Amino acid sequence: WRCHLQKNHVKTFRRNFILAAAISAFVTTVFSAQTAGVQSGVDWKNFLAKQDLVWNSLPKNWDDGAFIGNGLLGAMIYSGETNSLQWDVGRSDVTDNGDRIAIGKFVLAPQSKITGGAMRLDLWNAEARGDLKTAGGEIKWRSFTHAKNLVTVIELNSAAGDLPKIIFQHSPALPARLVYQRQPIPEEDKNPEPTFGETDGVNWCEQKLHDGRGYVVAWAEKKLSPEHEIFYFTVDYVKTNPLNPATAVANIQSASNENFNDLVASHRAWWHDFYPKSFLSIPDARMESFYWIQMYKLASATRANRPAIDLMGPWFHRTPWPHIWWN
């Protein structure tokens, strides 16, 4: 009986194997024939516009902000419940003794009171844009972290010609967990005070760390007219001594010397190539938007040749979990 059963199993296995092989060959042939002529009919610009994040008022908190990034450098944009709009600066690999640390923020503060504002995170073009309504007029802005170059851009337009200054506010390089928990900082955990300087029209802030590493934030503004300005900033992380602002300064100079329209075009070209690599449609509009926002977030937070995503990617802020967590 056992021998008979085994023979039947062998026959069944052979029959199923031959059938599976035949089906596989058929599917492969049909699939190859079809994919040879596949054409995408997706209107990507209009399709992704339906998935954009939209704010009818300025987001007050980090949790609600608009996020931009290129897998290493990034920023979170929100008001901080102040009469300003701020760009929290982030870079995924900036650490001190294995912990992430806050870098600082760029603050756009109009001279007159902000009376309203709106924002939109444009997924297709990977840029945030919006307007600030103030007692003195309206300021239109847009911002993106370039898809490949290590630079973040803020473009400002004001018909009234009253463009506000953008100021860098450095965050002390202190252990994030202790700061979050409002604990005293031991002297041995304190880093040196930052050094500020300027090189060929580019401002910079140099922060040395006690483990021998350090980072440099650099920025510059480019006035195109009294009503139009472009602001550039970057972060360079140096893992060995000596710390030097030259690389960060060179990144800013390279971006500001390039034709702005060309810079925008190369940024958009990367993203316009990224999205069509796959397509998913979901009948539930809310879940469909969530999916495409995550595709944007994925490419903003990591790349094949850039750090894997920890808890916060390039959008770090102080937290009781500042280690590079991979869970």
Side-chain angles (χ1 to χ4, degrees):
W1 175 83
R2 183 176 298 168
C3 180
H4 176 71
L5 185 62
Q6 288 175 340
K7 288 180 179 178
N8 285 341
H9 274 304
V10 170
K11 289 180 181 179
T12 302
F13 174 78
R14 286 175 176 168
R15 183 170 62 248
N16 290 346
F17 179 81
I18 293 171
L19 179 61
I23 292 173
S24 177
F26 173 75
V27 170
T28 300
T29 302
V30 172
F31 182 78
S32 298
Q34 289 180 341
T35 54
V38 166
Q39 293 183 351
S40 171
V42 179
D43 182 345
W44 283 99
K45 180 179 179 180
N46 290 325
F47 173 78
L48 284 176
K50 295 186 295 183
Q51 327 302 340
D52 288 351
L53 283 162
V54 178
W55 291 259
N56 294 320
S57 59
L58 297 180
K60 296 179 180 179
N61 304 311
W62 180 92
D63 311 70
D64 304 319
F67 47 95
I68 53 178
N70 64 9
L72 181 61
L73 189 69
M76 185 71 77
I77 308 167
Y78 60 104
S79 73
E81 298 189 81
T82 64
N83 191 60
S84 65
L85 199 61
Q86 66 185 51
W87 278 250
D88 277 16
V89 182
R91 178 168 162 145
S92 301
D93 59 353
V94 173
T95 59
D96 183 25
N97 286 329
D99 281 3
R100 300 285 299 273
I101 55 175
I103 295 174
K105 59 188 177 184
F106 285 94
V107 178
L108 186 160
Q111 294 183 4
S112 50
K113 182 176 176 55
I114 295 176
T115 58
M119 285 173 40
R120 187 181 193 99
L121 186 56
D122 179 342
L123 301 185
W124 176 236
N125 292 316
E127 68 179 34
R129 62 177 180 268
D131 59 80
L132 288 176
K133 293 180 172 61
T134 75
E138 185 177 69
I139 302 164
K140 292 189 176 295
W141 63 270
R142 67 166 165 164
S143 183
F144 60 90
T145 299
H146 193 275
K148 296 182 290 185
N149 303 342
L150 293 181
V151 64
T152 295
V153 178
I154 305 171
E155 182 183 20
L156 301 176
N157 283 279
S158 173
D162 185 24
L163 292 173
K165 283 281 187 181
I166 299 177
I167 306 297
F168 177 64
Q169 295 182 359
H170 173 265
S171 292
L174 299 172
R177 176 176 289 171
L178 295 181
V179 174
Y180 184 88
Q181 296 174 341
R182 302 176 187 272
Q183 297 293 320
I185 311 296
E187 285 300 319
E188 62 269 20
D189 289 339
K190 294 180 180 179
N191 285 294
E193 290 295 314
T195 301
F196 290 82
E198 183 265 334
T199 304
D200 297 330
V202 177
N203 297 286
W204 48 265
C205 171
E206 180 181 270
Q207 176 64 66
K208 294 181 180 178
L209 304 174
H210 49 53
D211 65 356
R213 305 182 183 203
Y215 65 82
V216 177
V217 181
W219 64 95
E221 62 181 14
K222 186 176 183 179
K223 283 262 189 185
L224 301 181
S225 74
E227 298 84 23
H228 188 195
E229 174 184 306
I230 303 170
F231 190 89
Y232 306 84
F233 70 83
T234 190
V235 182
D236 181 42
Y237 181 47
V238 182
K239 299 181 180 180
T240 57
N241 282 320
L243 186 60
N244 191 309
T247 299
V249 169
N251 286 339
I252 294 297
Q253 290 175 332
S254 175
S256 62
N257 289 335
E258 185 174 351
N259 179 279
F260 184 63
N261 291 332
D262 292 341
L263 191 69
V264 172
S266 61
H267 165 72
R268 292 182 175 182
W270 190 95
W271 283 93
H272 294 176
D273 180 65
F274 165 73
Y275 286 114
K277 291 182 185 298
S278 66
F279 180 76
L280 176 67
S281 177
I282 302 173
D284 185 312
R286 183 169 179 269
M287 292 306 298
E288 184 171 69
S289 292
F290 178 80
Y291 171 82
W292 286 105
I293 291 166
Q294 303 319 303
M295 290 300 98
Y296 165 80
K297 185 187 291 181
L298 177 66
S300 298
T302 191
R303 301 288 176 80
N305 61 343
R306 290 180 177 174
I309 310 171
D310 67 347
L311 285 185
M312 296 185 183
W315 308 296
F316 179 80
H317 74 149
R318 284 175 175 147
T319 167
W321 301 285
H323 294 312
I324 305 214
W325 300 95
W326 303 114
N327 57 350

